[in-house]
Structure formats: structure tokens, C-alpha cells
Amino acid sequence: MDTDGEEEFRQFVQARWHSLVRTAFLLTGDQGRAEDLVQTVLVKVHRRWGHVAHAGSPYAYTRAALANESASWWRRRRVAETFGEVPAHADRARGDAYAAYDTRDEVARAVLALPPRMRAVVVLRYFDDLSEADTAEALGMSTGSVKSQASRGLERLRAVLQQTQGTAERSLS
């Protein structure tokens, strides 16, 4: 790669690092693993930078690579993991300054409970705000599969969040 390509890649990484790590965090549930995932994917993207930079959107390509690499990591590991206990929110008071953070944490934990492919669809579709067609293209699946995975994923998220909310309300009684 020439020096112009190196500089262009460096600028891309600088501009997109935080959004890539955020997406990776939503896919993995762990900040360290998210950063490792982004670095692994960026190494692969760097090797193909000449093609990636001129074939369309490098960010879309890299984001799709993140989702695919994350799913590959989960398939290779096949080891059950726990991310710790979901904290009880019985002490959450109305007007609590941290309520939004607690809610965001509950949503993130619920997303992490989804199977890897469904999680990738939900993250790309709703957190990264991609269209159904763009999500399908990024993950190499049909638009119909994206629709069904998104629908099932949202259904599961609603169930988990309603259950969490019901538990917190019973704790307050």
C-alpha cells in the first residue's frame, strides 16, 4: 500500500474507531473483547484497503466484517459464558439520575442474551440504523431472513425486559 493509502486508512480508523468499538461492544458484551474484535477486523480490512476504500463505503464493509467475525468467534468458542448477574433494581427511585444508565444496561444485557446471528441483525438494524436491505447485504442473508430474525429478536427483547421490569416492581412491593 502506498503512503496515501496508509494515511487514508489511518484517518478512517481515527474517525470511526469509537463507533466500531460501540458496535463491537453490542455484539460481544465486553469492552476488551470489543476492542480485540475491532483490531482483528481492522487488520483484515487493512490488507484489502486498496479494494475496500474504492469499492464503496469502507465503514459499511468494516461494520459487516465486525458482525461476521463476531459470529465466527461465537461459533469457534462454543463455550457457555456468563456475563455476571443482572443487578436488582429494587433501589431505583423515581427521578433517579442513573435510571437511564440502568435501562441501557438492561437492554445491552438482553441483546447479549440473543443468539449471535439474531444479535448481529438487531445490532446492525436498530443500533446502527441500517435498512433491512443493507443489513441483509452486510450479513450475507436474505431480506426475509433479516425481517424474521429482527422480529424474533425484538420479541425476545420485549419478553426479557418485561420480565426484568416485573421483577423490579415485585421487589418494591
Side-chain angles (χ1 to χ4, degrees):
M1 182 181 326
D2 62 4
T3 55
D4 290 340
E6 287 288 338
E7 180 60 22
E8 186 180 4
F9 180 75
R10 188 188 67 72
Q11 289 174 0
F12 167 76
V13 171
Q14 241 177 350
R16 296 298 189 157
W17 175 260
H18 295 292
S19 55
L20 290 170
V21 171
R22 180 185 65 91
T23 298
F25 178 80
L26 290 167
L27 292 168
T28 64
D30 179 80
Q31 185 69 28
R33 190 174 295 147
E35 291 173 359
D36 289 347
L37 177 61
V38 171
Q39 289 175 3
T40 299
V41 167
L42 287 175
V43 166
K44 292 178 180 183
V45 169
H46 182 264
R47 289 183 193 140
R48 297 181 42 93
W49 184 251
H51 170 74
V52 171
H54 302 291
S57 170
Y59 181 59
Y61 179 91
T62 306
R63 188 175 45 217
L66 275 176
N68 290 323
E69 186 69 20
S70 175
S72 294
W73 281 11
W74 282 99
R75 277 193 301 271
R76 282 192 303 260
R77 297 196 67 241
R78 295 202 192 268
V79 175
E81 277 190 42
T82 58
F83 292 105
E85 294 296 316
V86 176
H89 297 293
D91 60 346
R92 185 187 301 169
R94 288 200 173 146
D96 183 357
Y98 297 103
Y101 294 107
D102 291 341
T103 301
R104 186 173 61 191
D105 184 57
E106 289 170 6
V107 171
R109 288 178 185 272
V111 168
L112 290 171
L114 298 174
R117 202 47 135 178
M118 188 179 290
R119 182 181 328 133
V121 168
V122 169
V123 167
L124 293 179
R125 183 81 180 89
Y126 299 105
F127 289 90
D128 280 351
D129 202 27
L130 294 185
S131 68
E132 290 168 344
D134 290 341
T135 302
E137 183 179 332
L139 297 175
M141 57 178 32
S142 71
T143 304
S145 292
V146 168
K147 288 178 182 181
S148 67
Q149 290 288 309
S151 175
R152 289 183 189 132
L154 291 176
E155 197 173 296
R156 285 189 187 185
L157 289 175
R158 278 187 207 101
V160 168
L161 293 173
Q162 286 173 351
Q163 180 182 5
T164 302
Q165 187 177 35
T167 303
E169 287 172 2
R170 283 192 299 277
S171 298
L172 290 172
S173 303

